[in-house]
Amino acid sequence: MGAQLRVYKRRIRSVTATKKITKAMEMISAARIGKAQRAVAASTPYADELTRAVTAVATRSIAKHPLTSENPNATRAAVLLITADRGLAGGYSSNAIKASLALAERLRSEGKDVVTYAVGRKGVSFYGFRDLAVAESWTGFSDKPTYADAKLVSAALIEAFTAETGGVDEVHVISTKFESMLTQTAVDARLLPLKLDEVKVSEESSAKEIFPLYDFEPSAEGVLDALLPRYVESRIYNALLQSAASEHAARRRAMKSATDNAGELIKSLTRLANSARQAEITQEISEIVGGANALADASRGSE
């Protein structure tokens, strides 16, 4: 019985140490969520103004640009998958991976070859373990992306989209949208070519605002050359920030659940250890009483 009690005590110490780790990770993620949310909020005005500028140039001029020209005979599509570099974030990465697989299946059903780009070690490991090709990957910044990281990713995608040979006709992004502390949703969006009818303009502004006539210098094509890459960068940067906030929220929720489960397990193991200790004490008392009775019987027999 003593051996069983030692096993329970050893498991209690182990679970207690794990609980301390998960609690610390929960607190770290909770602190980082606020920073990630503020970064998302700070990037939104820039992205909105770029959207308005691109919309104005593209819809109020006759300029043609590769990033807005749709190929009716598209045969190749790039899919950018954004996942986490680290685990212990619940279903955050797996949900994004499932969304990317569903999107790839849909694109293949349309007769398009899929070229995968991945951000985050989880996505890279998933494709590498299954011997699936990844055109290019980036790791090390999933939980705290910078604009420089977004420029690096967008440069590769724009280069693939504008390549005359061996390029892609479409670019799609799989990211995770941060809706609340409890809800994060994997979403897919076509980034290139830009769909002007999908550019969000509020009904109120479109109803009240009278758009002026534009004169572009040096030319509308030159303005688009400057604006559209920045637009792509801002979209990818916002997707990275949204995914980072979702990653922290998912990890906080997962670590809180793990901490709560560890606490319940410690209570259960403590009850089992107490029961084992009580059984051990009862057995010892029984042995003592039995020994005393044997000695008493032996004494009476000798008399």
Side-chain angles (χ1 to χ4, degrees):
M1 191 65 68
Q4 186 176 6
L5 182 60
R6 285 194 296 271
V7 170
Y8 287 137
K9 289 184 176 179
R10 185 163 58 248
R11 289 191 63 189
I12 289 173
R13 288 195 297 269
S14 175
V15 175
T16 301
T18 301
K19 182 181 178 181
K20 291 180 180 179
I21 295 173
T22 57
K23 184 64 177 178
M25 294 181 67
E26 176 190 348
M27 296 176 66
I28 292 172
S29 296
R32 290 179 176 176
I33 289 173
K35 295 181 180 178
Q37 286 179 298
R38 288 192 292 272
V40 172
S43 69
T44 300
Y46 178 71
D48 288 346
E49 290 304 317
L50 270 179
T51 299
R52 291 173 58 83
V54 170
T55 304
V57 179
T59 59
R60 290 165 179 80
S61 71
I62 59 174
K64 298 294 182 180
H65 196 276
L67 301 186
T68 60
S69 301
E70 188 164 356
N71 184 359
N73 300 316
T75 58
R76 300 190 77 201
V79 175
L80 173 64
L81 170 62
I82 301 176
T83 60
D85 285 318
R86 298 182 294 122
L88 301 177
Y92 164 75
S93 293
S94 61
N95 290 337
I97 291 172
K98 289 177 182 177
S100 71
L101 294 177
L103 174 61
E105 185 66 24
R106 177 172 63 83
L107 292 173
R108 291 190 183 98
S109 67
E110 298 173 358
K112 301 171 184 175
D113 295 330
V114 177
V115 182
T116 303
Y117 294 78
V119 172
R121 290 188 178 90
K122 289 299 178 180
V124 175
S125 299
F126 175 85
Y127 282 93
F129 182 76
R130 289 159 180 80
D131 292 329
L132 300 175
V134 175
E136 197 164 349
S137 62
W138 302 267
T139 59
F141 55 82
S142 70
D143 60 342
K144 194 176 180 181
T146 63
Y147 196 81
D149 299 323
K151 290 183 66 175
L152 189 65
V153 176
S154 62
L157 294 175
I158 292 175
E159 181 180 358
F161 185 77
T162 56
E164 295 183 0
T165 58
V168 298
D169 303 303
E170 296 178 359
V171 175
H172 299 259
V173 178
I174 300 291
S175 60
T176 305
K177 182 180 179 181
F178 180 86
E179 298 181 2
S180 68
M181 296 292 290
L182 298 177
T183 306
Q184 300 87 40
T185 307
V187 296
D188 66 88
R190 199 184 83 174
L191 185 62
L192 295 173
L194 177 65
K195 284 187 176 181
L196 299 178
D197 57 344
E198 290 184 357
V199 175
K200 295 183 178 179
V201 180
S202 65
E203 294 181 359
E204 182 179 355
S205 64
S206 62
K208 295 181 179 180
E209 185 176 359
I210 299 176
F211 291 98
L213 296 175
Y214 285 89
D215 187 17
F216 303 105
E217 293 184 2
S219 65
E221 290 82 357
V223 175
L224 284 175
D225 283 337
L227 287 182
L228 280 171
R230 304 291 86 76
Y231 174 78
V232 174
E233 292 168 4
S234 67
R235 286 282 300 274
I236 292 179
Y237 183 48
N238 187 262
L240 290 173
L241 292 176
Q242 291 273 0
S243 297
S246 300
E247 177 185 346
H248 292 311
R251 182 170 290 112
R252 177 184 177 275
R253 187 171 65 252
M255 291 301 97
K256 185 179 186 306
S257 178
T259 302
D260 295 341
N261 292 338
E264 293 297 325
L265 183 57
I266 290 172
K267 290 180 182 179
S268 177
L269 291 172
T270 301
R271 286 193 294 267
L272 292 174
N274 291 337
S275 297
R277 179 58 179 163
Q278 291 171 359
E280 183 178 344
I281 293 173
T282 301
Q283 182 177 350
E284 291 175 355
I285 293 174
S286 298
E287 292 174 352
I288 293 172
V289 172
N293 290 335
L295 289 174
D297 291 340
S299 297
R300 285 194 297 270
S302 62
E303 294 176 356

PDB file of all heavy atoms in Angstrom, residues 43 46 119 136 138-142 144-157 229-230 232-234 236-238 240-241:
ATOM      1  N   SER A  43      -3.659  49.302 -37.472  1.00  0.00           N
ATOM      2  CA  SER A  43      -3.444  49.062 -38.905  1.00  0.00           C
ATOM      3  C   SER A  43      -4.702  49.296 -39.733  1.00  0.00           C
ATOM      4  O   SER A  43      -4.607  49.459 -40.954  1.00  0.00           O
ATOM      5  CB  SER A  43      -2.958  47.627 -39.129  1.00  0.00           C
ATOM      6  OG  SER A  43      -3.983  46.695 -38.861  1.00  0.00           O
ATOM      7  N   TYR A  46      -5.047  52.747 -41.871  1.00  0.00           N
ATOM      8  CA  TYR A  46      -4.133  52.744 -43.019  1.00  0.00           C
ATOM      9  C   TYR A  46      -4.688  51.873 -44.142  1.00  0.00           C
ATOM     10  O   TYR A  46      -4.699  52.274 -45.314  1.00  0.00           O
ATOM     11  CB  TYR A  46      -2.767  52.251 -42.563  1.00  0.00           C
ATOM     12  CG  TYR A  46      -1.736  52.141 -43.667  1.00  0.00           C
ATOM     13  CD1 TYR A  46      -1.194  53.277 -44.258  1.00  0.00           C
ATOM     14  CD2 TYR A  46      -1.301  50.908 -44.115  1.00  0.00           C
ATOM     15  CE1 TYR A  46      -0.251  53.176 -45.261  1.00  0.00           C
ATOM     16  CE2 TYR A  46      -0.361  50.792 -45.118  1.00  0.00           C
ATOM     17  CZ  TYR A  46       0.164  51.935 -45.686  1.00  0.00           C
ATOM     18  OH  TYR A  46       1.109  51.832 -46.690  1.00  0.00           O
ATOM     19  N   VAL A 119       3.003  30.371 -43.734  1.00  0.00           N
ATOM     20  CA  VAL A 119       3.563  31.175 -42.643  1.00  0.00           C
ATOM     21  C   VAL A 119       3.313  30.402 -41.350  1.00  0.00           C
ATOM     22  O   VAL A 119       2.171  30.043 -41.052  1.00  0.00           O
ATOM     23  CB  VAL A 119       2.914  32.564 -42.566  1.00  0.00           C
ATOM     24  CG1 VAL A 119       3.373  33.300 -41.303  1.00  0.00           C
ATOM     25  CG2 VAL A 119       3.242  33.383 -43.799  1.00  0.00           C
ATOM     26  N   GLU A 136       7.187  28.387 -50.840  1.00  0.00           N
ATOM     27  CA  GLU A 136       8.024  29.226 -49.974  1.00  0.00           C
ATOM     28  C   GLU A 136       7.371  29.295 -48.604  1.00  0.00           C
ATOM     29  O   GLU A 136       6.144  29.225 -48.490  1.00  0.00           O
ATOM     30  CB  GLU A 136       8.177  30.629 -50.568  1.00  0.00           C
ATOM     31  CG  GLU A 136       9.331  31.411 -49.973  1.00  0.00           C
ATOM     32  CD  GLU A 136       9.725  32.616 -50.812  1.00  0.00           C
ATOM     33  OE1 GLU A 136       9.230  32.716 -51.958  1.00  0.00           O
ATOM     34  OE2 GLU A 136      10.515  33.448 -50.333  1.00  0.00           O
ATOM     35  N   TRP A 138       7.701  30.937 -44.330  1.00  0.00           N
ATOM     36  CA  TRP A 138       8.271  31.908 -43.403  1.00  0.00           C
ATOM     37  C   TRP A 138       7.890  31.497 -41.986  1.00  0.00           C
ATOM     38  O   TRP A 138       6.736  31.138 -41.713  1.00  0.00           O
ATOM     39  CB  TRP A 138       7.734  33.315 -43.680  1.00  0.00           C
ATOM     40  CG  TRP A 138       8.001  33.810 -45.070  1.00  0.00           C
ATOM     41  CD1 TRP A 138       9.057  34.544 -45.494  1.00  0.00           C
ATOM     42  CD2 TRP A 138       7.171  33.594 -46.231  1.00  0.00           C
ATOM     43  NE1 TRP A 138       8.952  34.809 -46.841  1.00  0.00           N
ATOM     44  CE2 TRP A 138       7.809  34.232 -47.323  1.00  0.00           C
ATOM     45  CE3 TRP A 138       5.970  32.934 -46.452  1.00  0.00           C
ATOM     46  CZ2 TRP A 138       7.270  34.230 -48.601  1.00  0.00           C
ATOM     47  CZ3 TRP A 138       5.433  32.914 -47.726  1.00  0.00           C
ATOM     48  CH2 TRP A 138       6.073  33.550 -48.781  1.00  0.00           C
ATOM     49  N   THR A 139       8.842  31.557 -41.073  1.00  0.00           N
ATOM     50  CA  THR A 139       8.588  31.175 -39.690  1.00  0.00           C
ATOM     51  C   THR A 139       9.260  32.171 -38.747  1.00  0.00           C
ATOM     52  O   THR A 139      10.118  32.956 -39.165  1.00  0.00           O
ATOM     53  CB  THR A 139       9.119  29.754 -39.391  1.00  0.00           C
ATOM     54  OG1 THR A 139      10.548  29.723 -39.640  1.00  0.00           O
ATOM     55  CG2 THR A 139       8.440  28.715 -40.275  1.00  0.00           C
ATOM     56  N   GLY A 140       8.842  32.094 -37.485  1.00  0.00           N
ATOM     57  CA  GLY A 140       9.500  32.891 -36.448  1.00  0.00           C
ATOM     58  C   GLY A 140       8.801  34.162 -36.051  1.00  0.00           C
ATOM     59  O   GLY A 140       9.272  34.857 -35.136  1.00  0.00           O
ATOM     60  N   PHE A 141       7.677  34.514 -36.688  1.00  0.00           N
ATOM     61  CA  PHE A 141       7.024  35.785 -36.330  1.00  0.00           C
ATOM     62  C   PHE A 141       5.506  35.658 -36.249  1.00  0.00           C
ATOM     63  O   PHE A 141       4.815  36.680 -36.263  1.00  0.00           O
ATOM     64  CB  PHE A 141       7.381  36.872 -37.344  1.00  0.00           C
ATOM     65  CG  PHE A 141       7.064  36.522 -38.781  1.00  0.00           C
ATOM     66  CD1 PHE A 141       5.781  36.681 -39.289  1.00  0.00           C
ATOM     67  CD2 PHE A 141       8.042  36.025 -39.629  1.00  0.00           C
ATOM     68  CE1 PHE A 141       5.478  36.371 -40.608  1.00  0.00           C
ATOM     69  CE2 PHE A 141       7.762  35.709 -40.958  1.00  0.00           C
ATOM     70  CZ  PHE A 141       6.469  35.883 -41.438  1.00  0.00           C
ATOM     71  N   SER A 142       4.982  34.454 -36.139  1.00  0.00           N
ATOM     72  CA  SER A 142       3.527  34.289 -36.179  1.00  0.00           C
ATOM     73  C   SER A 142       2.825  34.981 -35.016  1.00  0.00           C
ATOM     74  O   SER A 142       1.715  35.490 -35.174  1.00  0.00           O
ATOM     75  CB  SER A 142       3.157  32.799 -36.180  1.00  0.00           C
ATOM     76  OG  SER A 142       3.437  32.205 -34.931  1.00  0.00           O
ATOM     77  N   LYS A 144       3.991  37.650 -33.318  1.00  0.00           N
ATOM     78  CA  LYS A 144       4.279  39.090 -33.247  1.00  0.00           C
ATOM     79  C   LYS A 144       4.794  39.566 -34.598  1.00  0.00           C
ATOM     80  O   LYS A 144       5.964  39.921 -34.755  1.00  0.00           O
ATOM     81  CB  LYS A 144       5.307  39.371 -32.140  1.00  0.00           C
ATOM     82  CG  LYS A 144       5.401  40.839 -31.767  1.00  0.00           C
ATOM     83  CD  LYS A 144       6.358  41.036 -30.609  1.00  0.00           C
ATOM     84  CE  LYS A 144       6.471  42.503 -30.225  1.00  0.00           C
ATOM     85  NZ  LYS A 144       7.433  42.718 -29.106  1.00  0.00           N
ATOM     86  N   PRO A 145       3.926  39.608 -35.618  1.00  0.00           N
ATOM     87  CA  PRO A 145       4.379  40.006 -36.956  1.00  0.00           C
ATOM     88  C   PRO A 145       4.622  41.505 -37.052  1.00  0.00           C
ATOM     89  O   PRO A 145       4.003  42.305 -36.335  1.00  0.00           O
ATOM     90  CB  PRO A 145       3.203  39.581 -37.848  1.00  0.00           C
ATOM     91  CG  PRO A 145       2.009  39.651 -36.951  1.00  0.00           C
ATOM     92  CD  PRO A 145       2.493  39.260 -35.584  1.00  0.00           C
ATOM     93  N   THR A 146       5.512  41.885 -37.939  1.00  0.00           N
ATOM     94  CA  THR A 146       5.787  43.291 -38.211  1.00  0.00           C
ATOM     95  C   THR A 146       5.448  43.587 -39.675  1.00  0.00           C
ATOM     96  O   THR A 146       5.211  42.677 -40.472  1.00  0.00           O
ATOM     97  CB  THR A 146       7.264  43.616 -37.952  1.00  0.00           C
ATOM     98  OG1 THR A 146       8.076  42.857 -38.864  1.00  0.00           O
ATOM     99  CG2 THR A 146       7.648  43.258 -36.519  1.00  0.00           C
ATOM    100  N   TYR A 147       5.434  44.866 -39.998  1.00  0.00           N
ATOM    101  CA  TYR A 147       5.145  45.243 -41.383  1.00  0.00           C
ATOM    102  C   TYR A 147       6.240  44.749 -42.330  1.00  0.00           C
ATOM    103  O   TYR A 147       5.967  44.436 -43.485  1.00  0.00           O
ATOM    104  CB  TYR A 147       4.987  46.757 -41.495  1.00  0.00           C
ATOM    105  CG  TYR A 147       4.314  47.184 -42.770  1.00  0.00           C
ATOM    106  CD1 TYR A 147       2.930  47.133 -42.895  1.00  0.00           C
ATOM    107  CD2 TYR A 147       5.063  47.626 -43.864  1.00  0.00           C
ATOM    108  CE1 TYR A 147       2.311  47.510 -44.072  1.00  0.00           C
ATOM    109  CE2 TYR A 147       4.450  48.006 -45.043  1.00  0.00           C
ATOM    110  CZ  TYR A 147       3.068  47.941 -45.136  1.00  0.00           C
ATOM    111  OH  TYR A 147       2.448  48.304 -46.314  1.00  0.00           O
ATOM    112  N   ALA A 148       7.468  44.675 -41.809  1.00  0.00           N
ATOM    113  CA  ALA A 148       8.566  44.148 -42.637  1.00  0.00           C
ATOM    114  C   ALA A 148       8.304  42.686 -43.003  1.00  0.00           C
ATOM    115  O   ALA A 148       8.617  42.257 -44.122  1.00  0.00           O
ATOM    116  CB  ALA A 148       9.886  44.283 -41.883  1.00  0.00           C
ATOM    117  N   ASP A 149       7.747  41.923 -42.069  1.00  0.00           N
ATOM    118  CA  ASP A 149       7.397  40.534 -42.375  1.00  0.00           C
ATOM    119  C   ASP A 149       6.321  40.470 -43.455  1.00  0.00           C
ATOM    120  O   ASP A 149       6.383  39.637 -44.367  1.00  0.00           O
ATOM    121  CB  ASP A 149       6.903  39.826 -41.104  1.00  0.00           C
ATOM    122  CG  ASP A 149       7.956  39.792 -40.019  1.00  0.00           C
ATOM    123  OD1 ASP A 149       9.139  39.639 -40.349  1.00  0.00           O
ATOM    124  OD2 ASP A 149       7.586  39.927 -38.832  1.00  0.00           O
ATOM    125  N   ALA A 150       5.327  41.360 -43.353  1.00  0.00           N
ATOM    126  CA  ALA A 150       4.267  41.393 -44.357  1.00  0.00           C
ATOM    127  C   ALA A 150       4.821  41.765 -45.729  1.00  0.00           C
ATOM    128  O   ALA A 150       4.400  41.204 -46.758  1.00  0.00           O
ATOM    129  CB  ALA A 150       3.183  42.381 -43.938  1.00  0.00           C
ATOM    130  N   LYS A 151       5.772  42.695 -45.774  1.00  0.00           N
ATOM    131  CA  LYS A 151       6.381  43.072 -47.052  1.00  0.00           C
ATOM    132  C   LYS A 151       7.142  41.902 -47.657  1.00  0.00           C
ATOM    133  O   LYS A 151       7.112  41.693 -48.876  1.00  0.00           O
ATOM    134  CB  LYS A 151       7.330  44.266 -46.851  1.00  0.00           C
ATOM    135  CG  LYS A 151       6.633  45.579 -46.542  1.00  0.00           C
ATOM    136  CD  LYS A 151       7.622  46.723 -46.432  1.00  0.00           C
ATOM    137  CE  LYS A 151       8.280  47.002 -47.773  1.00  0.00           C
ATOM    138  NZ  LYS A 151       9.157  48.191 -47.717  1.00  0.00           N
ATOM    139  N   LEU A 152       7.802  41.130 -46.807  1.00  0.00           N
ATOM    140  CA  LEU A 152       8.560  39.979 -47.295  1.00  0.00           C
ATOM    141  C   LEU A 152       7.632  38.948 -47.933  1.00  0.00           C
ATOM    142  O   LEU A 152       7.903  38.421 -49.018  1.00  0.00           O
ATOM    143  CB  LEU A 152       9.339  39.350 -46.135  1.00  0.00           C
ATOM    144  CG  LEU A 152      10.352  38.263 -46.481  1.00  0.00           C
ATOM    145  CD1 LEU A 152      11.491  38.829 -47.318  1.00  0.00           C
ATOM    146  CD2 LEU A 152      10.887  37.625 -45.207  1.00  0.00           C
ATOM    147  N   VAL A 153       6.517  38.675 -47.268  1.00  0.00           N
ATOM    148  CA  VAL A 153       5.562  37.692 -47.786  1.00  0.00           C
ATOM    149  C   VAL A 153       4.884  38.216 -49.048  1.00  0.00           C
ATOM    150  O   VAL A 153       4.761  37.497 -50.056  1.00  0.00           O
ATOM    151  CB  VAL A 153       4.515  37.356 -46.709  1.00  0.00           C
ATOM    152  CG1 VAL A 153       3.446  36.413 -47.269  1.00  0.00           C
ATOM    153  CG2 VAL A 153       5.181  36.720 -45.488  1.00  0.00           C
ATOM    154  N   SER A 154       4.440  39.472 -49.012  1.00  0.00           N
ATOM    155  CA  SER A 154       3.718  40.031 -50.156  1.00  0.00           C
ATOM    156  C   SER A 154       4.619  40.144 -51.384  1.00  0.00           C
ATOM    157  O   SER A 154       4.159  39.971 -52.525  1.00  0.00           O
ATOM    158  CB  SER A 154       3.144  41.403 -49.799  1.00  0.00           C
ATOM    159  OG  SER A 154       4.181  42.318 -49.478  1.00  0.00           O
ATOM    160  N   ALA A 155       5.909  40.413 -51.184  1.00  0.00           N
ATOM    161  CA  ALA A 155       6.827  40.514 -52.326  1.00  0.00           C
ATOM    162  C   ALA A 155       6.899  39.193 -53.083  1.00  0.00           C
ATOM    163  O   ALA A 155       6.899  39.167 -54.319  1.00  0.00           O
ATOM    164  CB  ALA A 155       8.214  40.927 -51.842  1.00  0.00           C
ATOM    165  N   ALA A 156       6.954  38.082 -52.346  1.00  0.00           N
ATOM    166  CA  ALA A 156       7.008  36.774 -52.996  1.00  0.00           C
ATOM    167  C   ALA A 156       5.716  36.487 -53.748  1.00  0.00           C
ATOM    168  O   ALA A 156       5.737  35.946 -54.866  1.00  0.00           O
ATOM    169  CB  ALA A 156       7.283  35.685 -51.962  1.00  0.00           C
ATOM    170  N   LEU A 157       4.580  36.848 -53.166  1.00  0.00           N
ATOM    171  CA  LEU A 157       3.297  36.582 -53.814  1.00  0.00           C
ATOM    172  C   LEU A 157       3.105  37.462 -55.052  1.00  0.00           C
ATOM    173  O   LEU A 157       2.622  36.992 -56.091  1.00  0.00           O
ATOM    174  CB  LEU A 157       2.161  36.807 -52.814  1.00  0.00           C
ATOM    175  CG  LEU A 157       2.124  35.833 -51.635  1.00  0.00           C
ATOM    176  CD1 LEU A 157       1.028  36.236 -50.655  1.00  0.00           C
ATOM    177  CD2 LEU A 157       1.901  34.406 -52.110  1.00  0.00           C
ATOM    178  N   PRO A 229       0.785  47.519 -54.695  1.00  0.00           N
ATOM    179  CA  PRO A 229       1.660  46.738 -53.806  1.00  0.00           C
ATOM    180  C   PRO A 229       1.476  47.093 -52.335  1.00  0.00           C
ATOM    181  O   PRO A 229       1.484  46.210 -51.470  1.00  0.00           O
ATOM    182  CB  PRO A 229       3.070  47.098 -54.299  1.00  0.00           C
ATOM    183  CG  PRO A 229       2.877  47.490 -55.715  1.00  0.00           C
ATOM    184  CD  PRO A 229       1.561  48.196 -55.756  1.00  0.00           C
ATOM    185  N   ARG A 230       1.287  48.395 -52.043  1.00  0.00           N
ATOM    186  CA  ARG A 230       1.046  48.779 -50.647  1.00  0.00           C
ATOM    187  C   ARG A 230      -0.282  48.212 -50.154  1.00  0.00           C
ATOM    188  O   ARG A 230      -0.411  47.834 -48.992  1.00  0.00           O
ATOM    189  CB  ARG A 230       1.013  50.311 -50.536  1.00  0.00           C
ATOM    190  CG  ARG A 230       2.209  51.054 -51.044  1.00  0.00           C
ATOM    191  CD  ARG A 230       3.445  50.836 -50.178  1.00  0.00           C
ATOM    192  NE  ARG A 230       4.166  49.635 -50.581  1.00  0.00           N
ATOM    193  CZ  ARG A 230       4.947  49.537 -51.657  1.00  0.00           C
ATOM    194  NH1 ARG A 230       5.093  50.577 -52.464  1.00  0.00           N
ATOM    195  NH2 ARG A 230       5.576  48.424 -51.941  1.00  0.00           N
ATOM    196  N   VAL A 232      -1.659  45.359 -51.149  1.00  0.00           N
ATOM    197  CA  VAL A 232      -1.433  43.937 -50.879  1.00  0.00           C
ATOM    198  C   VAL A 232      -0.704  43.761 -49.549  1.00  0.00           C
ATOM    199  O   VAL A 232      -1.050  42.899 -48.732  1.00  0.00           O
ATOM    200  CB  VAL A 232      -0.636  43.296 -52.029  1.00  0.00           C
ATOM    201  CG1 VAL A 232      -0.269  41.858 -51.687  1.00  0.00           C
ATOM    202  CG2 VAL A 232      -1.446  43.333 -53.314  1.00  0.00           C
ATOM    203  N   GLU A 233       0.318  44.591 -49.318  1.00  0.00           N
ATOM    204  CA  GLU A 233       1.065  44.510 -48.068  1.00  0.00           C
ATOM    205  C   GLU A 233       0.165  44.773 -46.867  1.00  0.00           C
ATOM    206  O   GLU A 233       0.247  44.075 -45.847  1.00  0.00           O
ATOM    207  CB  GLU A 233       2.221  45.506 -48.084  1.00  0.00           C
ATOM    208  CG  GLU A 233       3.310  45.169 -49.087  1.00  0.00           C
ATOM    209  CD  GLU A 233       4.292  46.304 -49.284  1.00  0.00           C
ATOM    210  OE1 GLU A 233       4.150  47.328 -48.565  1.00  0.00           O
ATOM    211  OE2 GLU A 233       5.179  46.194 -50.149  1.00  0.00           O
ATOM    212  N   SER A 234      -0.698  45.775 -46.968  1.00  0.00           N
ATOM    213  CA  SER A 234      -1.569  46.097 -45.843  1.00  0.00           C
ATOM    214  C   SER A 234      -2.574  44.985 -45.582  1.00  0.00           C
ATOM    215  O   SER A 234      -2.900  44.684 -44.425  1.00  0.00           O
ATOM    216  CB  SER A 234      -2.304  47.419 -46.102  1.00  0.00           C
ATOM    217  OG  SER A 234      -3.228  47.290 -47.170  1.00  0.00           O
ATOM    218  N   ILE A 236      -2.124  41.733 -46.226  1.00  0.00           N
ATOM    219  CA  ILE A 236      -1.401  40.616 -45.616  1.00  0.00           C
ATOM    220  C   ILE A 236      -1.010  40.954 -44.179  1.00  0.00           C
ATOM    221  O   ILE A 236      -1.101  40.110 -43.272  1.00  0.00           O
ATOM    222  CB  ILE A 236      -0.163  40.258 -46.457  1.00  0.00           C
ATOM    223  CG1 ILE A 236      -0.600  39.660 -47.797  1.00  0.00           C
ATOM    224  CG2 ILE A 236       0.745  39.287 -45.711  1.00  0.00           C
ATOM    225  CD1 ILE A 236       0.535  39.295 -48.717  1.00  0.00           C
ATOM    226  N   TYR A 237      -0.595  42.197 -43.947  1.00  0.00           N
ATOM    227  CA  TYR A 237      -0.225  42.612 -42.588  1.00  0.00           C
ATOM    228  C   TYR A 237      -1.428  42.510 -41.657  1.00  0.00           C
ATOM    229  O   TYR A 237      -1.310  42.011 -40.524  1.00  0.00           O
ATOM    230  CB  TYR A 237       0.302  44.043 -42.623  1.00  0.00           C
ATOM    231  CG  TYR A 237       0.788  44.557 -41.283  1.00  0.00           C
ATOM    232  CD1 TYR A 237       1.641  43.804 -40.498  1.00  0.00           C
ATOM    233  CD2 TYR A 237       0.398  45.812 -40.818  1.00  0.00           C
ATOM    234  CE1 TYR A 237       2.097  44.272 -39.281  1.00  0.00           C
ATOM    235  CE2 TYR A 237       0.847  46.284 -39.604  1.00  0.00           C
ATOM    236  CZ  TYR A 237       1.696  45.516 -38.835  1.00  0.00           C
ATOM    237  OH  TYR A 237       2.143  45.978 -37.622  1.00  0.00           O
ATOM    238  N   ASN A 238      -2.596  42.949 -42.126  1.00  0.00           N
ATOM    239  CA  ASN A 238      -3.786  42.844 -41.305  1.00  0.00           C
ATOM    240  C   ASN A 238      -4.145  41.386 -41.035  1.00  0.00           C
ATOM    241  O   ASN A 238      -4.557  41.025 -39.918  1.00  0.00           O
ATOM    242  CB  ASN A 238      -4.956  43.560 -41.983  1.00  0.00           C
ATOM    243  CG  ASN A 238      -6.179  43.641 -41.106  1.00  0.00           C
ATOM    244  OD1 ASN A 238      -7.099  42.830 -41.226  1.00  0.00           O
ATOM    245  ND2 ASN A 238      -6.212  44.618 -40.215  1.00  0.00           N
ATOM    246  N   LEU A 240      -2.026  38.885 -40.890  1.00  0.00           N
ATOM    247  CA  LEU A 240      -1.052  38.388 -39.916  1.00  0.00           C
ATOM    248  C   LEU A 240      -1.397  38.852 -38.506  1.00  0.00           C
ATOM    249  O   LEU A 240      -1.289  38.074 -37.536  1.00  0.00           O
ATOM    250  CB  LEU A 240       0.351  38.862 -40.288  1.00  0.00           C
ATOM    251  CG  LEU A 240       0.983  38.246 -41.543  1.00  0.00           C
ATOM    252  CD1 LEU A 240       2.294  38.951 -41.875  1.00  0.00           C
ATOM    253  CD2 LEU A 240       1.228  36.757 -41.359  1.00  0.00           C
ATOM    254  N   LEU A 241      -1.814  40.120 -38.373  1.00  0.00           N
ATOM    255  CA  LEU A 241      -2.175  40.633 -37.051  1.00  0.00           C
ATOM    256  C   LEU A 241      -3.428  39.960 -36.510  1.00  0.00           C
ATOM    257  O   LEU A 241      -3.508  39.620 -35.322  1.00  0.00           O
ATOM    258  CB  LEU A 241      -2.371  42.150 -37.125  1.00  0.00           C
ATOM    259  CG  LEU A 241      -1.120  42.992 -37.384  1.00  0.00           C
ATOM    260  CD1 LEU A 241      -1.490  44.460 -37.520  1.00  0.00           C
ATOM    261  CD2 LEU A 241      -0.104  42.806 -36.270  1.00  0.00           C
TER     262      LEU A 241
END
